[in-house]
Amino acid sequence: MRLGVLDVGSNTVHLLVVDAHPGARPWPATSHKIELQLAQHLDAHGCIDRAGADALIGFIHSCLEVAEDSGVRQTLAFATSAVRDAPNGEDVLARVRAETGVDLQVLAGGDEARLTFLAVRRWFGWSAGRLLVLDIGGGSLELAVGDDELPETAVSLPLGAGRVTRDRLPGDPPSADHIRAARRYVRAEVARVVRDLTRHGEPDMVVGTSKTLRSLARICGAAPSGEGPFVARSLRHDDVAGQLPRLAAMTVAQRAALPGVSASRAPQLLAGALVADAALDLLGAESLALCPWALREGIILRRLDTMLDGDTMLDGGTLFDPNPRS
């Protein structure tokens, strides 16, 4: 079966088309994405502005064309923190539904963490033991820990690299006072959930997903993406901490010249490093392994699981229950 996953994130809107059936590994067929930076299309009240909504709808139309041309049978469409946190998020969803026919489902932060955890578990398998998973998105940080396929604890914090940059790190480069204040804020937020994530014991493996962590790993010496998804990549806490003074002194243009850092992600790299440093430090992790699978793959895997359970999707193919049946 050819499935499409339409992911409306804070940074990127991404249609991933895969060939998949229950019991098999999803195999990517094609990808169509744009760095829309929806989180940057916010007005003074945090609402998604008209230009952002227009750009989103226009790109969704192009995604529908790609999905049809690719022979997609069902599309799972979802949105994360940029739409979830916007006061006018429901209005934007209604416009998308009316003008494209796509019923975007908004994932709660905890569900993002659970589905990402599922993808990581399937990638590394049971031999990885107890997993602690970190995902630094544009709008939020997801953390999850557990021994099984679904985590025992899953939390979402307002620490996305784009959000921290926008709200806490003005200037190019930001001042030392702003960086210090952002660091205090990030660490206080992470500290709130440390006990929830560590009270049942230490993880056997710490894993990171997301473009932010991959970019940080790349500038710390990890293999480039061109070497493929099966090359082992990791990110050490000492390396992240060591990069912070360098990143803090750089302009956005200088960060964009670093290996593996795109121009669109360069403004967020310092904030991402602050979040990664805080999470690894406060959770007592010396390093993390990078996983090429994340939320989109978790949604696909969960959909395949429901097919095995005998469930069916509603007409239109965009409605999806990310939660396992109890």
Side-chain angles (χ1 to χ4, degrees), residues 23-201:
R25 180 182 68 192
W27 194 260
T30 191
S31 176
H32 182 54
K33 63 182 176 180
I34 186 174
E35 294 278 347
L36 186 59
Q37 300 285 329
L38 197 58
Q40 303 305 315
H41 286 278
L42 301 179
D43 63 19
H45 304 288
C47 294
I48 297 170
D49 63 25
R50 179 80 185 192
D54 288 347
L56 173 61
I57 289 167
F59 189 71
I60 289 176
H61 277 299
S62 74
C63 288
L64 293 174
E65 293 178 4
V66 171
E68 180 178 343
D69 291 346
S70 301
V72 169
R73 182 176 169 187
Q74 295 175 337
T75 299
L76 315 172
F78 67 95
T80 55
S81 63
V83 176
R84 182 173 68 231
D85 298 336
N88 68 333
E90 288 297 329
D91 294 335
V92 173
L93 293 173
R95 271 199 67 194
V96 170
R97 195 160 45 242
E99 297 183 32
T100 71
V102 172
D103 190 5
L104 279 175
Q105 302 298 292
V106 177
L107 290 180
D111 288 334
E112 283 192 60
R114 292 181 189 96
L115 287 161
T116 301
F117 186 93
L118 172 63
V120 171
R121 170 61 75 192
R122 294 282 177 89
W123 181 268
F124 285 107
W126 295 113
S127 63
R130 183 172 180 80
L131 289 174
L132 171 62
V133 177
L134 293 73
D135 188 309
I136 303 175
S140 58
L141 164 69
E142 273 69 51
L143 299 152
V145 66
D147 296 295
D148 301 321
E149 287 213 321
L150 293 175
E152 64 202 28
T153 302
V155 297
S156 180
L157 299 174
L159 297 179
R163 185 194 296 258
V164 173
T165 300
R166 183 185 69 244
D167 296 346
R168 308 275 170 176
L169 293 172
D172 185 20
S175 70
D177 286 344
H178 279 122
I179 293 171
R180 191 176 303 112
R183 182 179 185 274
R184 284 197 301 267
Y185 168 74
V186 167
R187 285 179 168 258
E189 285 291 304
V190 174
R192 290 194 299 109
V193 300
V194 165
R195 176 167 170 75
D196 293 334
L197 294 162
T198 60
R199 61 185 173 183
H200 296 303

